[in-house]
Structure formats: structure tokens, C-alpha cells
Amino acid sequence: MIETVSFLKKNAADLPLSEPLTITQNGKPAYVVTSYEEHERREQAIAMMKMISFAESDIKQDRISSMESLKEKLAARKK
């Protein structure tokens, strides 16, 4: 849905946010307004993609260890 800045000002309390709302200024897209829930879902998806990227990098650089090796290292630290 595309609306103007004027629409945003007039309807700020009751914005229809079932989908992202593109706000135009002088006929050009300037802002995107979305619900808080959608924003949080997007942030969580980005965080997950970053974690996957880090994991892939660790695998490529052979910075991995088995669960058994990790348990042994943790047990040795407790002594």
C-alpha cells in the first residue's frame, strides 16, 4: 500500500498495517511503516541469518569441535 505523508499525519493513530505501508514525499518513496510484530520478526530473521553465516564461516575455517570434545574441555576446566 502506498500513501502520502499527509495521509500518515492524518491517520497516524489508525494506520492499516496488515502489510508494510510505503509513504511517499513529493511523489517519491521516502519511508516504510510496518507493525511492531513484523519489525520483530524481521529482526529475528536477520539475527538467524547472521548466526548461520558465522557458523558457515567457522566450518570453512575448521573452527569446530565435537560435542564430546567440548564436554571434555568443560570438565577439565572444572578441575
Side-chain angles (χ1 to χ4, degrees):
M1 190 168 170
I2 299 174
E3 293 292 347
T4 62
V5 171
S6 298
F7 176 87
L8 177 63
K9 289 178 183 177
K10 290 177 188 173
N11 299 288
D14 286 322
L15 290 175
L17 295 178
S18 58
E19 62 185 65
L21 179 63
T22 301
I23 304 297
T24 61
Q25 191 169 24
N26 299 322
K28 296 179 183 176
Y31 309 99
V32 175
V33 179
T34 187
S35 70
Y36 180 78
E37 291 82 15
E38 181 61 31
H39 169 75
E40 286 299 302
R41 277 192 294 274
R42 185 173 288 116
E43 289 296 312
Q44 289 176 0
I46 290 169
M48 181 64 72
M49 288 189 296
K50 286 181 181 178
M51 290 173 57
I52 290 170
S53 175
F54 292 150
E56 288 173 341
S57 175
D58 286 344
I59 291 168
K60 286 178 185 175
Q61 296 179 20
D62 200 29
R63 293 186 301 207
I64 58 173
S65 61
S66 68
M67 181 60 75
E68 195 59 41
S69 173
L70 175 62
K71 288 178 183 178
E72 289 171 6
K73 289 178 185 176
L74 291 174
R77 288 178 66 182
K78 288 183 178 181
K79 293 179 182 181

